[in-house]
Amino acid sequence: MPPLWKPESWADRLAELEARSGDLKEVPLRRDVRSLGMLLGEVLREQAGVELFNKVEELRLAAIRRREAHSEGSAKEAEDLMQAAVLGVNTLGVDQAYRLSRAFAFYFELINLAETNHRKRRRLSLQISEDGQRGDDIQRGSFRGTLRAMRRVGITAEEALAWLRRIRVIPVFTAHPTEIARRSVLLKRRRMGDFLEQLDRIPIPDEELTSLEDALTAEITALWQTDEVRSRRPTVSDEIRMGLDYYDVSIFETLPGLYQEVSAALAAEYDLHIDAAELPLLLSFGSWIGGDRDGNPYVTTEVTREAIRAARSRLLRYYDARLLETIDLLTTSAQQLPVSEELRTRLGSFLADLGTDAAQIFGQRFEFEIYRRYLFCVRSRLLRTAGITPSDHDLLETALVSLPAYCSAQELLEDLGIVRRSLAAHGGIRVAETQIDPLLLLVRTFGLHLHTLDIRQHARQHQKALEEASAWREQQPIAVPSGLSPESRDVLEAFRAIAEVKAGCSPEAIRQYVISGAATVEDILAVVWLARLGGVEVAGNGRDPGIMPVPLFESIEDLRNAPEVCRRLWTSPDYQKLLASWDNTQEVMLGYSDSNKDGGMLASTWEIFRAHRALHEVAHECGVQLRLFHGRGGTVGRGGGPTHRSIYAQPVGAFDGQIRITEQGEVLNWKYSDVVLAERNLELMIAASLDALARPDALDPDGHRSGVMRPAWEAAFDELSETSFHFYRHHILDDPEVLEFFETATPVSELEHARIGSRPSRRKGKMSLANLRAIPWVFGWTQSRLLVPAWFGVGHALGEYAEKPGGAALLREMMEEFPLFIDLIRNVEMALAKADLGIASLYASLVPDAALRERVFAKLKAEFERTLSAVLAVTGQSELLQTNQVLARSIRLRNPYVDPMSLIQVDLLRRKRAGEDTEEVNRAISGTINGISAGLRNTG
Ligand code: PGA
C-alpha cells in the first residue's frame, strides 16, 4: 500500500498549503483526520481486538445517523435512534464501556492534533500571503494588519510608536484544575504534533513518508497503552513543573521571532526601522502556580519558595544553554577584527577579580577569540547565580568559579551589552543580531526570575487573621503574634515567606497579592497591615517594587461597588503614598466565572464592562494608572472565547495599554504547546491591545465597530442585563431544586476521581452553590451537554427586548457594530452549538425525583430554545455558526464521537447511583470525563 500521506502530485499539495480560502485550504486537515483515523483503527484492531473496533464503528455510525435525522427534521427517528443507542450501551460490561470510551477519546486526541497542526499550517499560509500583500487584505488579527488599519486612518509613525510603547501584555499562568491530560500524555501529543508538522515539509521521499507514518502509529500505540487518567492527584510541585514546561516548549524560543515580526511589520507599514532588540518591551509573564493559596491547602509556604526557585533555575539553565551555544558560534577572532577596549577592560577586571591573568586561566585556549573568553566569564557568573557548581573535570569552569554571581538582571544586561557594542562597532552587527540580541531580549523580559509569582488568598482569611493578630497586639504590642489559629498562622507565614523572597536576589519575583472576594476598602488595607506584620516592605523602593494588594471583584454586587471602593482607597493619603511608590499604578482584578455564577452570563458581561469603564474614570480622576487583570477561564461560562476579540471589546477610552490575563488549564496547551501557536497567540494579544488602544476604527469615517458607545446601546444593555439578572437569580440561584438537579444530573461529584488538579473542588462547608467553586459548576454542566452558565438568561432577556418597539432592530444594530455585544453573542452561540438537548435529557433522567426533574429540565429546555432562537434572530442566521464554518465543521466532526461517550457516561452514572460504586466504575467514569472534555475542547 502506498504511504497514507502520499499525494498524487507535490504541486497539488503545495497549492493546498498556499490556499487562502475555499475548500482547498481545508483538504490537508481532512487528510490528516482521515489518515490518523486509519492508523488508530489499525492500532485498535491490534491492541483491543476486532470486536471492540466494530463496536466503536457501530456506535459512531448510529450517532451520525441520529444527527442526520435530527437535522433533516425527523425528530421521531432521531429519538428512536437515540433510544436504540442507549439500549446498546446499557448492555455493555463496565470494562467494555471503559475501553470503548477510551477508543472514542482517542479519536479526539487525533482530531485535536490534526486541528492544531492545521492552525499552524494556516498561520504559515497567512504569513506567506501577507508577504506579497499590497492591498487591504491583511488579516486584522495580525500585528501588521492592525498597523495597516492605523496607517490608513492617518495615524503617523511617531504616534504609532507612542501607542506601541504603552503596550504591555502579561499572560499569567494558573493551575486552575481544568487540564485533564497528564504531563506524559502532553509530551506524547507534542511528539505526534512534530511528526504531523514534518509531513507538511514537502516534498518528502516515500521512504520518509512511511517512516513518519510508522512513528505516528508507534506513538498512538504507546498512548493506547498509557493510563490517560492520573493514578494520583497531581501535587502542586507537578503543577509548577507543568507550568514551567511551556517556557521550554515554546515561549523562550518564540519571543525573538515575535519581536522580529513586530520590527518587520513596522518597517513594512510605517517605514520605521527599529531593531528587534530596541523595541519597547511588549510582553512579560506571571504565574499563580504555587502562590494561589485560596482554597488550596497544598499551597504551603514551602511550595511557594519552591515555585520561585524552580522558575529561576529553569530560566538560568536556559540562559546557560543559550550562552554555551553562543560561545560555540561566536568565533570572531581578534586576528580578523578588533575587539572594543570596553570589552577588553571588562575581561581584564574579571580576571583581576580572580587575582590572575588570562594565560593562567585560559592557557592558549581561544587566544584570539576574545569574545569567547569573555563569554566564558559571563557564563561562570551565571552558573554561580544559579547555584550550579562546575564538575571537577571542567578545569576552565573551575578556574572561573569564584567570579561573582549576578545580583540583578541589569548587571547581566550590561555584560551582554558590552559584547553587542563591540560587535556592532567592528563589523559584526549581523552576528550581534543573531547571537546576542535574542539573549538580551530574553533577559529584558525575564530578568533573573522568569515571571512574577502572585500570591492569592481570600479576604475572609485576612479578616480573621487580622482580628486575631490585633487582639494579640493589644496585649503584647511588641512581640510577634502567636497563639493564632492555624489558618491565621498560615496567612502570616505566607507574608514571612514573601519577605524572605524579597530579601534575596530578585525582589521583583513577587509583587502582587490578589485578594479573592474583595468587597471593601478594609479588605484591601488588611493585606497592607498583614504584610507589614509579616515583615514585608509594602511600598516600592529602587530595589524592590514592594507588594501591591490587588482586589479581585467577583460578585455582581462587588463589581458594582468596585469603583467607589477604589475611589475611597485611592483618595486615602496613606494609600496615596504607597501608590506613589508604585509609579501611581494600581492593578484591579475582575472575576469572570464567579460573577457569571452569581448573576448569569449577560449580567456578568455587562457588569464587568461597566466596572471596567467606571474604574478607569475614577482612576483618571485620582491620577492613578489602572491596570486590569482579567480572570478568565477557557469555557464560555468562565469568560472564555477568543482572547483578541475580548481585548478589543474593552470599553473605548478605558484602556491604558497594560493588561494581565489568566491563562489556565487546557488553554495553556491550546495556546502554548508549540512555537508557532505561541507566536500566533501572543501576536494576537499584542495586536488586539494595540487595536484597542489606538482605536483606528474610531477614526475611520466609514468604519463599523468603532466600539464607541451609543446611549441607546447603553440603555439597551442595562435593560438586558437587569432582566437577565433577575431571571437567572430567580430560576437558578434561588431555586434549590436546580442545585439538586445539578448534583444528580451531572458528574460533578465524580470530578474528584478524574484527579485533575491539586486543588479541592469545593471550599469547606456544606454543599451549596455559594461554596461550590465556579469550575465544578461549569464543568458539570459542560459534561452533561447543557452548558447552562454560558447562556441561561440570555434568551429571556433578548426575547423580551426584541418585543419592544424598535427593540429587534436595535439588537441587530448592536450585533453589527458593538464589539462587546458581538463578543457576547458569538460566545453564547459557540456554547449553544456545543450543547445538545437530546443528550442532556438522558442526563436529566438520572434525577430520581420525577417531578423535580420535569420541572427543572422543562425550564432549562425552554430557556435554551428561547436563547437559540434569539441568537439566530439577532445574528440573522438560519442555523448556528453560519459565519464560522471552521468551528461549525469542527463541532460536526466531533459530535458523532462525543455522543456515544455521553451515553456511556450516563449509563455508568446510573450504575453508580444505583449502588455500584466500585473502583472500576469510577475509573470508567473518569475515562468518559476525559474523553468528553477532549471532544468539546473544554473541561469546565
Ligand atoms: P477561582 O476561579 O475559583 O479560583 O476563583 C474561578 C475560575 O477561574 O473559574
Side-chain angles (χ1 to χ4, degrees), residues 45-60:
R45 279 192 296 267
E46 178 195 297
Q47 297 284 313
V50 177
E51 202 189 323
L52 184 106
F53 174 78
N54 290 341
K55 191 80 195 164
V56 169
E57 281 301 287
E58 181 191 317
L59 284 173
R60 189 173 69 90

Side-chain angles (χ1 to χ4, degrees), residues 176 288 292 294 456 552 554 593-594 633 638 664 759 763 773-775:
H176 278 81
W288 276 17
D292 177 11
D294 174 12
R456 178 171 81 142
L552 162 53
E554 46 186 345
S593 330
D594 281 275
R638 294 178 47 238
Q664 359 178 314
R759 182 174 94 175
R763 294 186 201 271
R773 296 198 81 132
I775 288 177

Side-chain angles (χ1 to χ4, degrees), residues 116-160:
T116 303
N117 193 45
H118 197 56
R119 284 196 291 144
K120 295 197 268 180
R121 187 182 280 142
R122 298 314 305 154
R123 161 107 174 129
L124 191 68
S125 136
L126 178 70
Q127 284 172 321
I128 292 170
S129 76
E130 277 192 357
D131 288 344
Q133 213 50 251
R134 306 252 171 271
D136 290 339
D137 198 24
I138 288 191
Q139 247 204 17
R140 191 56 181 275
S142 74
F143 183 74
R144 188 160 161 200
T146 303
L147 286 184
R148 177 159 298 187
M150 288 165 61
R151 181 165 59 78
R152 269 215 333 258
V153 296
I155 294 176
T156 64
E158 291 67 36
E159 286 164 344

